[in-house]
Amino acid sequence: MSVFQAQKTALITGAASGIGFAAAKLCRSRGMHLALLDIDAVHLRQAQEELATVNPSLKTESYQIDVGDKNQWRKVVDQIKSAFTHVDLVLLNAARQQRAQSQYEGKLKPWADVESWKQTFDTNVFGTLNGVEAVLPLLLSSTTSKSIVITGSKQGITNPPGASTPAYNASKAAIKNLTEHLAHDLRSDPATAHISTHLFIPGWTWTGFMGNVGPTHEDTVTKMSGAWYPSQAAEVLVDGVEKGSFYIFCPDGDTDWALDQARMQWANDDMIEGRPAISRWETSWKERADEGIRADAVRRRT
């Protein structure tokens, strides 16, 4: 049974903008109560006010939180338990992409700024773990169908290089691994088998990382032509959960599923074929990688 139903409750982190806000709008359109969490108090308040007007008979509560802080999670969950009779959907979507600051430039930059790694992992990894620990008791309060959706990234799979990306890529690779284990553990125990777990993997989406900050109206947002709107990604998320998919990959205007498959296959084959790490971007391999990925994508489309 789908969790996206009237009178169900969704708890969403990173709800003040981007995919989190778009998912909240979709949940509200299904008649769901909303617990909105974000670190951005100003935009969180705006999101709450806008969503509350859609159907004033439904509950719309907001909670400012730094997801990397376990104590804040405890306080917020206590407040949620007081405000809502149950929680049915948990979308752990909050993330950051911290740019390294150091005396080095270019490719050496991230390796001289451990603090940027810590800040990235505090939000992207430990923020998610804190959320899982805090909300599991809410999902165990009954045996009706529940869902946990955790937002990953294709960068945690294909691992593209760049001065600002190693920490983010590593954090999202950790998210992939921990979500796989969480799904296995929950479905393997009869006491928790009613909780489905899903890894949502967006494509190129015009979110706060791209400057689309706050609960914006997409018809007023100027974006690059290849990117998707957050609402498009949110629709794929809902469809994937309702189909029971664990890996929920989201395309975009530039990348279809066949190209995603080919890129992931190439990245995984670096280990199997003994190629250099992330060979797709290695000077001596780049041309062969481009040709191989393109040919594989064409084959997959036929």
Side-chain angles (χ1 to χ4, degrees), residues 20-268:
F21 179 66
K25 289 178 71 174
L26 254 181
C27 289
R28 177 48 47 89
S29 74
R30 297 285 188 98
M32 297 178 71
H33 303 291
L34 298 172
L36 310 173
L37 284 64
D38 206 290
I39 196 171
D40 183 345
V42 173
H43 289 124
L44 180 61
R45 192 180 315 111
Q46 293 174 1
Q48 179 187 12
E49 291 171 354
E50 178 169 336
L51 290 165
T53 63
V54 176
N55 188 338
S57 69
L58 297 170
K59 286 187 178 180
T60 310
E61 303 292 340
S62 65
Y63 308 90
Q64 185 183 13
I65 186 175
D66 176 353
V67 295
D69 188 324
K70 287 184 68 170
N71 291 327
Q72 291 186 34
W73 266 109
R74 292 190 188 102
K75 292 177 182 177
V76 166
V77 166
D78 284 343
Q79 293 173 317
I80 289 172
K81 284 193 291 187
S82 297
F84 299 90
T85 58
H86 50 81
V87 172
D88 306 281
L89 167 69
V90 174
L91 171 56
L92 298 175
N93 169 72
R96 74 156 70 206
Q97 188 165 9
Q98 183 74 21
R99 293 193 175 275
Q101 303 292 325
S102 76
Q103 69 269 35
Y104 297 114
E105 294 297 328
K107 295 178 180 179
L108 291 180
K109 197 169 185 177
W111 308 107
D113 185 8
V114 172
E115 184 59 28
S116 71
W117 284 73
K118 182 179 182 302
Q119 291 173 3
T120 299
F121 270 66
D122 278 349
T123 298
N124 296 2
V125 180
F126 292 105
T128 299
L129 285 169
N130 291 340
V132 170
E133 179 186 31
V135 303
L136 272 178
L138 302 179
L139 304 180
L140 292 170
S141 61
S142 74
T143 56
T144 58
S145 297
K146 314 284 187 181
S147 294
I148 299 174
V149 182
I150 298 176
T151 301
S153 172
K154 292 174 187 177
Q155 289 184 216
I157 301 171
T158 57
N159 198 22
S164 65
T165 60
Y168 181 79
N169 293 1
S171 73
K172 289 302 185 178
I175 285 296
K176 173 182 175 291
N177 288 350
L178 74 86
T179 309
E180 288 170 339
H181 280 281
L182 178 64
H184 172 80
D185 291 345
L186 291 178
R187 70 172 178 261
S188 299
D189 186 338
T192 56
H194 64 287
I195 307 172
S196 68
T197 308
H198 312 266
L199 180 65
F200 177 57
I201 307 164
W204 181 20
T205 310
W206 208 247
T207 65
F209 286 169
M210 307 294 172
N212 183 22
V213 179
T216 56
H217 294 272
E218 292 179 353
D219 56 358
T220 67
V221 172
T222 301
K223 66 171 184 63
M224 297 182 73
S225 60
W228 266 21
Y229 287 112
S231 64
Q232 294 174 283
E235 288 171 359
V236 172
L237 185 160
V238 172
D239 183 60
V241 172
E242 292 190 322
K243 287 179 177 176
S245 303
F246 173 76
Y247 301 102
I248 305 174
F249 282 95
C250 188
D252 54 53
D254 287 344
T255 308
D256 64 2
W257 175 226
L259 184 55
D260 272 332
Q261 288 176 299
R263 287 173 174 173
M264 288 187 289
Q265 186 70 64
W266 185 274
N268 286 328

